[in-house]
Each structure stands twice: as C-alpha cells, then as structure tokens.
Amino acid sequence: MALAAATQEAKFLLQLLKDMDIGYNDGYDCVTLNGDNQGALALANNPVHHQRSKHIDIRYHFIRSEIRKGVIKLIYVPSEHNVADVFTKPSTKVKLAKFVDILMGKS
C-alpha cells in the first residue's frame, strides 16, 4: 500500500516540476522508487493474478500502468542498505553510524 502512495506522490512531484518548466528536458522524466518489500515489488512488476492478492489488485494495476508508461521504476534495496529504515524501524547504533553522513546531507 505504501508503494501506491509513493507512486501517487511521484506523479504529483513530476507534474509540479513540469508546471515549473523543469521536466523532461532536464532529465526528470522517471522516478526511481526504492523498496525492501520483495513481495510488493514482485506483485507490482508481475501481472500474474493470485487469489491472495485479490483485495489489492486496483492499487497494483495503477502501479503497473505507471511502470509501463515509464513514470516510475522500482528497485529492490535490501534492508541493510535502506536508509529509510532508520525512520521506520528500530535502529542500532551501528546502523545509525553507517548512515550518519547521508542523514546529515553530507553524502
């Protein structure tokens, strides 16, 4: 479900850049979404219908259509390399030390 929300946000930001005359000519034609949920990424990329995924079909059809249009690109990022996990999951001192430069805008 977070992937669908991120896709909507990406579309909004692309439209905002286009409205400000910053867009396709400046290289902002595709948004890369990083995720660590392999199930969600597989469901979004693969149009195979499963009985267990029946209740989320509409959102994933939306994501699939945006992938086909080239608006978004999905990439798997393992949890140990995912900076966003610092904000969403309990973090250790080691993990915070690993990402401190990125979090502080130095890298």
Side-chain angles (χ1 to χ4, degrees), residues 79 82 84-96 99:
S79 288
N82 194 349
D85 279 354
V86 172
F87 301 111
T88 60
K89 298 175 183 167
S91 298
T92 63
K93 185 176 181 179
V94 174
K95 194 166 192 175
L96 286 172
F99 294 130

Side-chain angles (χ1 to χ4, degrees), residues 17-29:
L17 288 173
K18 185 178 176 185
D19 290 345
M20 295 188 306
D21 291 328
I22 304 170
Y24 296 107
N25 297 331
D26 298 323
Y28 299 109
D29 56 344

Side-chain angles (χ1 to χ4, degrees), residues 3-63:
L3 192 56
T7 302
Q8 289 174 334
E9 189 73 21
K11 283 190 66 161
F12 169 77
L13 292 173
L14 281 174
Q15 185 62 46
L16 182 64
L17 288 173
K18 185 178 176 185
D19 290 345
M20 295 188 306
D21 291 328
I22 304 170
Y24 296 107
N25 297 331
D26 298 323
Y28 299 109
D29 56 344
C30 180
V31 175
T32 302
L33 296 178
N34 298 326
D36 63 354
N37 186 337
Q38 289 180 337
L41 295 177
L43 192 59
N45 284 315
N46 188 0
V48 175
H49 177 74
H50 298 286
Q51 186 62 29
R52 289 187 219 159
S53 63
K54 190 174 185 178
H55 66 287
I56 52 177
D57 276 342
I58 293 171
R59 289 186 183 163
Y60 281 95
H61 282 298
F62 166 67
I63 297 167

